[in-house]
Amino acid sequence: MPPISDVVSADHALIKKAFNGLVESDPTRPRDATEFIWTLGRFLIVEDLVVTPALEHHVARGGEAHCRVSDYDSVNAMLRHLQQLDTTEDSFEKQLNIAWDELELHLAPEVVADLERLEESMAWPDADGLGTKYERIRDLLQKPYGKEGVPDAETLAAILQTPRQELMLRIGVFG
């Protein structure tokens, strides 16, 4: 059973790889942003369903709310906007870089600060079980989309627009 910090770090690496692949592709030709948007979107969904509740339960002190850059609704809105842009336009490149700048502030410190504190605050089997739960929910979201695991644009838009509670019901996660 992997610790939660390991599985989240692996997802961070996938997000960075998808971002780099998109940035390094020829900006004068139509580019497919679906892999980056889906990799990040899937991460945000799983983080919202697994990591955020665990942090609120095990780490938050005295009602102190965690300031999380990966707020599900705001980043999801950014992803929906990014998905609708023409990848050959300068506005796409600008929005992509804005999104990445915001994410970079979140990705590295998350493992070092939040997840290490979370693992320290949980008993050993619970901390490893959280990593397994994360992987299980991530895999539920991955399965229907073929070998590469990236949905087509229409399916991706539908997933990103589905309200959190409805999405939880659809994938069989009830809290």
Side-chain angles (χ1 to χ4, degrees), residues 32-147:
D32 187 1
T34 307
E35 182 181 358
F36 171 69
I37 293 169
W38 174 239
T39 304
L40 179 54
R42 184 189 62 218
F43 165 75
L44 293 169
I45 291 166
V46 178
E47 182 183 56
D48 188 55
L49 296 175
V50 177
V51 177
T52 301
L55 283 168
E56 289 171 358
H57 180 73
H58 293 283
V59 178
R61 292 178 294 250
E64 171 188 329
H66 283 285
C67 179
R68 310 222 8 111
V69 173
S70 63
D71 174 65
Y72 181 82
D73 294 326
S74 66
V75 178
N76 229 359
M78 178 204 57
L79 288 175
R80 288 192 310 270
H81 175 71
L82 194 61
Q83 184 189 25
Q84 294 177 11
L85 295 175
D86 180 346
T87 60
T88 61
E89 297 292 324
D90 290 339
S91 59
F92 175 80
E93 197 75 32
K94 182 180 177 181
Q95 289 298 314
L96 181 64
N97 287 322
I98 289 169
W100 186 252
D101 289 345
E102 184 177 328
L103 289 169
E104 270 193 318
L105 294 173
H106 166 71
L107 295 178
E110 178 182 48
V111 173
V112 175
D114 288 345
L115 296 180
E116 284 184 4
R117 282 195 334 227
L118 177 60
E119 289 174 348
E120 289 170 3
S121 70
M122 296 177 75
W124 174 77
D126 293 337
D128 282 359
L130 193 61
T132 301
K133 179 179 180 180
Y134 183 100
E135 287 180 324
R136 184 179 64 80
I137 293 172
R138 182 191 60 210
D139 291 348
L140 280 171
L141 288 168
Q142 190 73 12
K143 286 182 181 176
Y145 307 114
K147 189 175 109 179

